[in-house]
Amino acid sequence: MHNYRKINNDLYYIGANDRKISLFESVYPVLDGVSYNSYLLKDDKTVLFDTVDKHERTQFFENLEAVLGDKPLDYLLINHLEPDHSALIKDVIEKYNNIKIICNQKIKDMLFQFFELESDKTPEFVVVKEGDVINTGNHELTFVMAPMVHWPEVMVTYDKTDKTLFSADAFGSFGALDGNIFDNEVQFNEKISEYRRYYTNIVGKYGLQVNNLLNKAKNLEIKTICPLHGLILRENISYLVEKYSLWANYKPEINSVLIAYSSVYGATQNAAEILASKLAQMNVKNIKVYDVSKTHSSYVLSDAFKYSHIVLATTTYNNNIFVTMEHFINDLIKHNLGNRTFALIENGSWAPNCACSIINELKDLKGTRILDNKVTLKSTLKTAQESELDNLAKLIFDDIQLIH
Ligand code: FEO
């Protein structure tokens, strides 16, 4: 049975939810699953916008067939070739005779990396470049190249007629769709943390390229965004574009403190919890504390994009940084998270020296500041050392006030 939904006069949502998946891209936990969005434009010519992951084949084809009815499928338009959207391309080509593929040259080249097509089954390609226009009857589609948002071949498609942007991975989110497929059918602001986690982990590294796309999109009047994951956007477009602008420029959303710790026997956690309490008593709001050994790094990284100040508290291990903290710091670096102010707490029972290693690792991140007065623990926090935590809290507090 189908579960497609009509978006407007000629456009239909024909995607599917994957609720069995545990790890998106085999790395990111998705407790609420993920949606693979696909769309069908039923104009004089019919256009399928991308497909879905192979696990959701049945629902996708039931939706596609139900909306098509007795019309032929004229075009498959491919915006992005990652298999969560492209897995069924070969099936579509084999099922619908005479279908033409609309894509750019890079997509065409990469298509044959993923699929072996018999020569007599190879469809006709309509290769487009930036600004080209395809008329489907009442609709005019034009194309904007968006390399590295999130792969090099990515493009987005703009329907001039309905002012709809088919944005590929951009403006997407983790989380399956629960019947409500439009942003104005849900409490959208409650969803923003998963939009942030999706953005920061998937394309956070490519702020420059995201900015390029945002700048091009400024020239388009956009009433609807149809992404490849998550809700269709109508009412929260400017809100999400503002968030994207912050994230792409590595600007924090709030002036507050994220404390990320790793602690083998609890002593480093103890110092982190006491520091959080001291900051709260100084009236710092919205402090967030994470144990990086327990919480998946994708969540901590996501909040690192949100916060202005980050405290790293960790033990020394193998004469270096503790493994889970090393992993988190590596995530910060790999995602180019600059413009943050760090404070450090190090621990060690005989050679506490991981702060030096952390400073060395963070030094190449653009706009990074590291506050003086690191706190060094030897095994546990001693009563006589509490003033050091007081000083660190005061330093962080004063620094936050400076950016108000
Ligand atoms: Fe949702 Fe880059 O694929």
Side-chain angles (χ1 to χ4, degrees):
M1 270 297 288
H2 62 76
N3 65 351
Y4 70 79
R5 282 193 65 189
K6 196 164 186 176
I7 298 173
N8 57 29
N9 287 343
D10 306 318
L11 187 63
Y12 296 79
Y13 175 85
I14 60 163
N17 289 315
D18 187 348
R19 297 183 191 274
K20 290 196 179 75
I21 185 172
S22 300
L23 295 175
F24 183 74
E25 293 186 353
S26 294
V27 60
Y28 306 114
V30 279
L31 294 178
D32 293 326
V34 68
S35 73
Y36 308 117
N37 299 348
S38 176
Y39 304 93
L40 186 72
L41 181 66
K42 210 171 166 187
D43 200 1
D44 292 350
K45 296 289 182 186
T46 54
V47 184
L48 171 63
F49 293 80
D50 295 287
T51 69
V52 302
D53 187 88
K54 62 180 181 295
H55 295 115
E56 301 306 327
R57 185 183 194 287
T58 304
Q59 186 68 75
F60 167 74
F61 275 112
E62 284 180 359
N63 286 344
L64 175 57
E65 286 163 18
V67 178
L68 266 180
D70 54 9
K71 289 198 100 179
L73 183 55
D74 297 303
Y75 294 108
L76 166 59
L77 193 160
I78 306 170
N79 283 310
H80 184 19
L81 208 56
E82 193 163 8
D84 52 334
H85 314 289
S86 68
L88 301 182
I89 285 176
K90 188 174 178 186
D91 300 58
V92 168
I93 290 170
E94 289 176 350
K95 186 174 172 70
Y96 295 97
N97 296 329
N98 304 320
I99 192 169
K100 294 177 185 166
I101 306 288
I102 302 172
C103 65
N104 62 40
Q105 187 61 47
K106 260 202 184 86
I107 290 173
K108 184 180 175 188
D109 294 343
M110 285 177 74
L111 190 73
F112 295 99
Q113 290 177 204
F114 285 95
F115 303 103
E116 290 187 278
L117 300 173
E118 312 275 336
S119 55
D120 62 334
K121 292 273 187 189
T122 302
E124 184 181 327
F125 283 84
V126 181
V127 176
V128 297
K129 55 187 186 317
E130 179 113 4
D132 283 357
V133 175
I134 289 180
N135 194 308
T136 62
N138 294 319
H139 293 257
E140 280 195 343
L141 305 176
T142 188
F143 309 95
V144 177
M145 301 303 126
M148 301 319 296
V149 190
H150 132 243
W151 277 15
E153 87 296 356
V154 171
M155 66 179 191
V156 300
T157 300
Y158 179 64
D159 180 342
K160 293 180 171 187
T161 311
D162 283 342
K163 306 190 187 330
T164 297
L165 184 71
F166 297 89
S167 63
D169 277 339
F171 306 111
S173 176
F174 296 130
L177 298 176
D178 303 322
N180 299 122
I181 64 167
F182 298 104
D183 63 343
N184 58 344
E185 295 179 334
V186 301
Q187 302 266 356
F188 187 76
N189 57 352
E190 290 181 2
K191 307 269 184 189
I192 195 66
S193 59
E194 282 297 84
Y195 277 81
R196 183 187 298 105
R197 190 166 70 93
Y198 170 89
Y199 171 88
T200 54
N201 286 279
I202 303 284
V203 287
K205 176 183 172 68
Y206 301 109
L208 178 69
Q209 291 83 352
V210 173
N211 265 323
N212 287 340
L213 177 59
L214 292 176
N215 285 331
K216 290 183 194 176
K218 275 182 195 159
N219 301 321
L220 306 173
E221 184 188 354
I222 299 170
K223 289 188 173 165
T224 306
I225 293 180
C226 292
L228 287 177
H229 303 286
L231 295 157
I232 296 165
L233 301 157
R234 288 168 163 169
E235 292 194 351
N236 294 277
I237 293 173
S238 57
Y239 169 67
L240 196 55
V241 167
E242 275 174 36
K243 292 288 187 195
Y244 262 60
S245 182
L246 290 173
W247 299 335
N249 289 291
Y250 306 100
K251 290 183 179 168
E253 292 167 69
I254 60 171
N255 298 326
S256 185
V257 187
L258 168 71
I259 301 175
Y261 75 83
S262 61
S263 188
V264 180
Y265 293 109
T268 311
Q269 177 188 0
N270 178 240
E273 304 277 11
I274 291 171
L275 179 66
S277 175
K278 288 182 183 301
L279 287 165
Q281 289 174 70
M282 297 169 114
N283 212 25
V284 177
K285 304 274 202 285
N286 300 307
I287 301 160
K288 184 71 191 171
V289 179
Y290 280 113
D291 179 345
V292 297
S293 298
K294 183 185 170 198
T295 304
H296 191 275
S297 192
S298 64
Y299 292 91
V300 193
L301 178 79
S302 177
D303 266 350
F305 270 71
K306 179 178 175 183
Y307 280 78
S308 60
H309 289 66
I310 301 172
V311 178
L312 302 176
T314 186
T315 192
T316 305
Y317 204 73
N318 291 330
N319 204 30
N320 213 304
I321 308 164
F322 187 69
V323 281
T324 52
M325 181 59 75
E326 173 87 63
H327 177 78
F328 173 57
I329 292 170
N330 191 44
D331 246 3
L332 295 175
I333 294 165
K334 288 294 179 345
H335 290 83
N336 284 335
L337 184 64
N339 303 328
R340 293 300 182 278
T341 301
F342 290 88
L344 305 177
I345 299 174
E346 64 179 354
N347 197 352
S349 290
W350 57 94
N353 60 7
C354 56
C356 281
S357 304
I358 293 174
I359 292 167
N360 196 41
E361 295 212 359
L362 293 176
K363 71 177 186 319
D364 293 331
L365 275 177
K366 203 172 158 191
T368 293
R369 297 165 62 236
I370 300 176
L371 298 178
D372 294 335
N373 295 27
K374 74 172 158 72
V375 173
T376 299
L377 310 177
K378 281 206 112 176
S379 301
T380 59
L381 177 68
K382 309 299 184 302
T383 310
Q385 267 191 302
E386 192 177 1
S387 62
E388 292 182 37
L389 275 186
D390 284 324
N391 290 341
L392 187 62
K394 177 77 167 55
L395 203 62
I396 295 168
F397 175 80
D398 288 346
D399 202 75
I400 290 173
Q401 305 313 306
L402 284 178
I403 52 178
H404 275 301

